Amino acid sequence: DAKTTQPPSMDCAEGRAANLPCNHSTISGNEYVYWYRQIHSQGPQYIIHGLKNNETNEMASLIITEDRKSSTLILPHATLRDTAVYYCIVRGNTDKLIFGTGTRLQVFP
Amino acid sequence: DAGVIQSPRHEVTEMGQEVTLRCKPISGHNSLFWYRQTMMRGLELLIYFNNNVPIDDSGMPEDRFSAKMPNASFSTLKIQPSEPRDSAVYFCASSLPRGLEETQYFGPGTRLLVL
């Protein structure tokens, strides 16, 4: 599976959009981009995934560049409860998820 | 649905003792995963099962660790003998077959402290 690179930490004001970047320059054609988050002391929680088209659900939007070498997770209106570690994962034809170190997002009032 | 259920939620034991962690996956899910999380190593996949059969145990650290899934609704992760370096949070996750749904649902974890 391709490796991902994320900034270790980010801050965001409550009510503003949080844009979390992820680089996956070695991604191959059949690999999906997944995002999970882990709120303190809880198990990871699925957010969204995509292959090459942009995706949106009730939690977030996922923007994947045309060359698929990077993506951005967007939380349109961040709240204090969105404070968590966000993991970007590239997953191929496997059941396995390989978690990196993620981005620690701090939402402040 | 109750989600993935893990027990115990907290375990404190002494070095050398046997530890058994339990997991009940979401009903109808046929894949089950055991992860371990520490500050030093992050979140690591230990082993996973499909239809109760172990598929990949390459993440199991050593022979002291063993996992079983005797039926579709129950799995155990056993450490014998336990060591202080096994202290971590152990998560269980379950999912439907890949292609039907892509989401792994995680349990609340078991916090293990080995003294």
Side-chain angles (χ1 to χ4, degrees):
Chain A
D1 292 322
K3 181 178 172 56
T4 62
T5 303
Q6 299 178 252
S9 64
M10 294 183 65
D11 290 339
C12 179
E14 189 176 21
R16 304 299 293 268
N19 298 287
L20 291 91
C22 179
N23 285 323
H24 31 78
S25 58
T26 61
I27 193 170
S28 58
N30 65 343
E31 290 180 318
Y32 285 75
V33 180
Y34 281 74
W35 285 82
Y36 278 74
R37 75 179 182 183
Q38 187 173 24
I39 296 171
H40 181 62
S41 298
Q42 298 181 21
Q45 175 191 25
Y46 167 82
I47 301 172
I48 199 168
H49 75 281
L51 182 63
K52 53 183 178 182
N53 297 322
N54 298 338
E55 302 287 344
T56 295
N57 62 22
E58 65 278 4
M59 290 183 68
S61 294
L62 174 60
I63 308 298
I64 302 174
T65 58
E66 193 169 342
D67 64 7
R68 304 210 320 122
K69 293 185 176 182
S70 65
S71 60
T72 301
L73 178 75
I74 301 172
L75 309 178
H77 305 287
T79 71
L80 298 178
R81 288 177 294 180
D82 292 321
T83 292
V85 178
Y86 288 77
Y87 297 98
C88 170
I89 302 165
V90 170
R91 179 187 187 186
N93 188 27
T94 173
D95 295 310
K96 296 170 65 169
L97 292 175
I98 308 299
F99 288 81
T101 54
T103 295
R104 185 172 298 275
L105 174 68
Q106 178 69 55
V107 181
F108 57 91
Chain B
D1 198 324
V4 175
I5 298 173
Q6 292 188 245
S7 64
R9 294 292 307 275
H10 303 271
E11 177 83 20
V12 181
T13 190
E14 292 186 343
M15 182 174 61
Q17 296 298 306
E18 177 180 296
V19 175
T20 299
L21 312 181
R22 297 173 176 80
C23 176
K24 176 178 170 56
I26 293 173
S27 177
H29 285 191
N30 76 327
S31 295
L32 184 139
F33 306 80
W34 282 102
Y35 292 84
R36 177 174 69 174
Q37 187 170 34
T38 62
M39 288 293 292
M40 291 295 293
R41 300 177 65 89
L43 194 60
E44 306 172 279
L45 177 65
L46 300 177
I47 184 172
Y48 78 93
F49 297 82
N50 278 347
N51 296 316
N52 313 337
V53 176
I55 302 300
D56 186 340
D57 65 354
S58 59
M60 295 286 264
E62 50 198 272
D63 291 345
R64 297 184 298 106
F65 285 68
S66 63
K68 294 182 180 180
M69 191 165 186
N71 57 61
S73 59
F74 183 66
S75 177
T76 60
L77 177 67
K78 186 174 293 187
I79 309 172
Q80 167 62 22
S82 59
E83 297 182 3
R85 61 189 167 128
D86 302 329
S87 297
V89 181
Y90 291 81
F91 290 103
C92 176
S94 71
S95 71
L96 288 168
R98 193 160 37 85
L100 294 182
E101 188 179 290
E102 305 293 333
T103 306
Q104 286 187 22
Y105 294 85
F106 283 75
T110 295
R111 294 183 177 277
L112 173 65
L113 177 61
V114 183
L115 301 173

